[in-house]
Amino acid sequence: MSTDYTARTSTQILAGHSAPFPSLDASALFAGCPEVIGTPFSYAREEEVYGEGEEAEFVYKVVSGAVRTHKVLSDGRRQITGFRLPGDLFGFEQGKIHRHSAEALTDTKVLIFKRRQVERAATDRAEFACQLWDMATNDLRHAQDHMLLLGRRSAAERVASFLIDVDARLGGTGTFALPMTRRDIADFLGLTIETVSRTLSQLEEDGALQRVGGRQVSLRRARLHRMIED
């Protein structure tokens, strides 16, 4: 992302250049912290939210759509490090710069918070700090689960685990539209796109899922769970 783009985006954020939300309460970071108000902002499909190495000035909460975070390895390969779905908070960094890049997977709406405002609220309010801690530990758990997935699971187990996780994060109905492409899934699971395609087809043949055009899937969760547990 260019310096001019970063400056322009920051100016728009601070000026509230975006579609309004229904109320201030809907723009709060947490329901119990109405003083931490975010600015609504929209990103088009494939638009960059921030780039690796840029200053971590803002924190983001997904309202609708989806975001992927990734790193480009020294050999040019892309490793997707996570998918951020509605309700997820992202953009927090240990240091002052972003270690990964973030891009919108689809047309996406977010709330953008000044990092220093969030840090100040966490310092002043124990309840707010605890909520942030819960989110951080949940992210750590996901990272640990992902390492286990990459290191010890077959391709079928990786894809099955991934589908179960996305389903749970999108409401747990068993039927949903995947916001990411098969290439995105491959780069997240450490597989080739061909392997992901074959695995999805095999899961469908085995009756573990049904695809209804495009990216819409309907899971047979009991069968997927048995595959992982076995």
Side-chain angles (χ1 to χ4, degrees):
M1 183 186 297
S2 68
T3 302
D4 289 344
Y5 180 85
T6 303
R8 174 172 58 84
T9 302
S10 297
T11 300
Q12 290 173 331
I13 292 168
L14 294 174
H17 178 71
S18 53
F21 278 64
S23 67
L24 284 179
D25 289 344
S27 298
L29 182 56
F30 296 121
C33 301
E35 72 276 16
V36 184
I37 301 299
T39 299
F41 204 78
S42 298
Y43 292 94
R45 179 178 177 273
E46 299 296 332
E47 185 175 357
E48 188 176 79
V49 180
Y50 56 76
E52 181 179 352
E54 292 180 359
E55 184 179 357
E57 185 179 358
F58 300 104
V59 178
Y60 306 79
K61 184 177 181 180
V62 181
V63 176
S64 64
V67 171
R68 65 174 168 241
T69 55
H70 74 273
K71 288 181 71 73
V72 177
L73 307 180
S74 58
D75 60 3
R77 290 179 299 165
R78 182 184 67 166
Q79 176 63 55
I80 291 181
T81 54
F83 296 107
R84 306 300 180 173
L85 303 177
D88 288 346
L89 190 68
F90 70 100
F92 262 123
E93 300 286 354
Q94 185 177 9
K96 295 183 178 181
I97 62 172
H98 289 296
R99 299 178 61 248
H100 305 152
S101 297
E103 298 166 342
L105 283 168
T106 63
D107 290 344
T108 298
K109 293 181 179 180
V110 301
L111 291 172
I112 303 182
F113 305 85
K114 296 179 184 178
R115 176 176 171 173
R116 62 178 179 270
Q117 180 188 24
V118 175
E119 291 173 340
R120 184 165 58 247
T123 300
D124 295 340
R125 296 187 56 172
E127 179 186 1
F128 185 87
C130 287
Q131 288 174 308
L132 288 179
W133 174 259
D134 286 343
M135 297 186 79
T137 54
N138 188 56
D139 280 349
L140 178 59
R141 180 182 62 80
H142 268 94
Q144 292 171 333
D145 289 345
H146 189 56
M147 286 191 295
L148 177 63
L149 193 68
L150 296 182
R152 298 296 180 184
R153 296 288 192 176
S154 67
E157 290 171 328
R158 295 184 200 187
V159 174
S161 295
F162 174 77
L163 292 172
I164 289 170
D165 179 63
V166 173
D167 172 50
R169 294 169 63 193
L170 289 177
T173 64
T175 300
F176 57 93
L178 284 165
M180 62 289 293
T181 66
R182 284 174 293 176
R183 181 172 296 280
D184 290 326
I185 296 171
D187 287 349
F188 181 64
L189 296 178
L191 301 170
T192 65
I193 187 172
E194 293 81 10
T195 298
V196 170
S197 296
R198 284 198 306 270
T199 302
L200 288 172
S201 295
Q202 187 61 54
L203 291 174
E204 189 167 24
E205 289 178 13
D206 293 343
L209 66 85
Q210 181 179 8
R211 287 183 283 187
V212 189
R215 301 181 192 169
Q216 188 81 13
V217 296
S218 181
L219 306 184
R220 304 296 183 266
R221 288 176 288 186
R223 295 190 182 186
L224 290 175
H225 277 292
R226 282 199 299 270
M227 179 183 302
I228 297 167
E229 292 166 358
D230 292 343

